Amino acid sequence: MNLIPKILIFIIIEVRWTNSQEFYGTCNRPFSCGTISGFQYPFRRHQDPAQCGYPGFELNCDEQNLPTINITNIRYQVLGIDPTNQILKLVRGDMIDSICPQDLVNTTIDHELFDYTSSYTNISFLFGCPISFDVVGMIDSFLCGNNGVSPVILVPGAQGPGLCKTSVVIPSPVGFMSSTGLVQVLREGFDVRWKVESRPCTDCTLSGGQCVYDVRASLTTCACPEPPLLADSCSKVNKPEVSSPSSSSSSSSPGTPCF
Ligand SMILES: *[C@@H]1O[C@H](CO)[C@@H](O)[C@H](O)[C@H]1NC(C)=O
Ligand SMILES: *[C@@H]1O[C@H](CO)[C@@H](O)[C@H](O)[C@H]1NC(C)=O
Ligand SMILES: *[C@@H]1O[C@H](CO)[C@@H](O)[C@H](O)[C@H]1NC(C)=O
């Protein structure tokens, strides 16, 4: 009669233990993605379990290539990562092979997750402008592949289309002097800083745990190699109470098995 609950509890502990081992073991060792190494939480590979990374930090990894990440439905190629300063260097996926954006959308980032670093400026590509169009401060003007017959006009700042059909705003590193080298500069991409706090993760890692995302609670937590399985950090947490103390009504019977 006593045996069945024992077995049940044993099974439950086994299952939780096994899951935690998996949770702990499969996530967040620093990993490489494509040709770049040094990624860790909040990033995860697209194919990793959801709890391995913070939502919005999924990378597409392809052995020979640079990683890509989708932010606000735009595919960016990751040119570099600076984990200490939480900086990613990005370039729009549709501007890798051409100075002209192929998708006529403004560059946007998710400001909940990322900020531009201070060292950027806006450039606007004006498409479909009238033939004799001329603007003050024009940086450059050139033909843009299959985007129409009229040349694209580059102007500084985030500008609306005005008399042109479409404007596409692109962040660019500050300091370029003229159109000379602009292609190069745009290819170098721009920096964004990710805003997910690293401090709790540092604490977690130092305590022997690995940062994971608790999908149910929607927050970053710490996966420990031993119970307690999930905590703020592994060493700081008290020993778990595996069985609840016997209900206070009757004094504990000495013969009761204890887990
Ligand atoms: C990323 O965005 C591109 C469009 O820019 C889309 O084709 C692709 O399916 C997206 N990938 C993921 C994993 O969401
Ligand atoms: C760039 O343009 C966006 C709007 O598209 C604006 O919110 C942002 O402040 C601009 N940044 C700079 C540095 O001018
Ligand atoms: C890009 O942003 C500008 C304002 O910053 C806006 O006027 C323009 O319509 C936007 N372009 C697209 C394609 O949404």
Side-chain angles (χ1 to χ4, degrees):
M1 238 170 90
N2 229 357
L3 199 61
I4 290 167
K6 244 191 204 175
I7 287 170
L8 274 180
I9 288 166
F10 177 75
I11 288 170
I12 288 164
I13 289 173
E14 262 308 292
V15 166
R16 289 197 63 194
W17 175 252
T18 310
N19 282 348
S20 109
Q21 289 293 79
E22 228 167 84
F23 209 48
Y24 173 82
T26 55
C27 292
N28 298 316
R29 296 206 176 84
F31 63 92
S32 58
C33 176
T35 51
I36 294 186
S37 58
F39 289 103
Q40 51 190 311
Y41 195 89
F43 295 95
R44 70 170 170 95
R45 295 181 207 88
H46 184 61
Q47 66 270 24
D48 288 339
Q51 64 265 25
C52 290
Y54 198 90
F57 290 86
E58 295 79 38
L59 298 165
N60 297 297
C61 310
D62 180 10
E63 243 178 85
Q64 306 292 327
N65 296 309
L66 288 162
T68 65
I69 184 170
N70 276 17
I71 304 172
T72 62
N73 285 324
I74 297 174
R75 192 173 61 90
Y76 292 97
Q77 197 169 58
V78 179
L79 300 176
I81 178 177
D82 173 355
T84 310
N85 296 305
Q86 305 198 179
I87 287 172
L88 277 188
K89 188 175 277 299
L90 303 175
V91 66
R92 273 172 64 149
D94 64 331
M95 291 181 68
I96 293 161
D97 299 324
S98 149
I99 188 179
C100 304
Q102 302 299 299
D103 304 327
L104 299 186
V105 294
N106 286 339
T107 300
T108 51
I109 57 170
D110 183 345
H111 285 284
E112 295 277 308
L113 303 179
F114 300 97
D115 268 334
Y116 290 112
T117 60
S118 55
S119 56
Y120 90 102
T121 185
N122 287 313
I123 295 180
S124 299
F125 284 66
L126 304 180
F127 289 93
C129 299
I131 296 297
S132 58
F133 191 70
D134 197 15
V135 274
V136 183
M138 180 172 86
I139 301 168
D140 202 356
S141 162
F142 44 82
L143 286 169
C144 249
N146 53 9
N147 278 314
V149 284
S150 66
V152 66
I153 291 171
L154 265 63
V155 291
Q159 297 201 17
L163 293 173
C164 310
K165 287 213 175 83
T166 313
S167 84
V168 173
V169 180
I170 309 282
S172 155
V174 290
F176 69 92
M177 290 295 121
S178 66
S179 62
T180 320
L182 181 61
V183 179
Q184 193 53 41
V185 163
L186 288 177
R187 281 220 177 110
E188 279 168 19
F190 58 94
D191 291 341
V192 294
R193 200 184 67 83
W194 68 88
K195 291 155 85 171
V196 175
E197 246 202 291
S198 68
R199 175 72 200 289
C201 260
T202 310
D203 289 352
C204 169
T205 311
L206 289 177
S207 73
Q210 292 179 338
C211 267
V212 293
Y213 186 74
D214 185 338
V215 177
R216 239 189 262 166
S218 300
L219 45 78
T220 299
T221 185
C222 191
C224 303
E226 305 168 356
L229 314 173
L230 295 174
D232 288 339
S233 73
C234 298
S235 55
K236 280 183 195 156
V237 175
N238 299 329
K239 287 246 155 122
E241 290 178 276
V242 175
S243 68
S244 54
S246 53
S247 41
S248 52
S249 58
S250 66
S251 54
S252 56
S253 46
T256 307
C258 186
F259 293 95

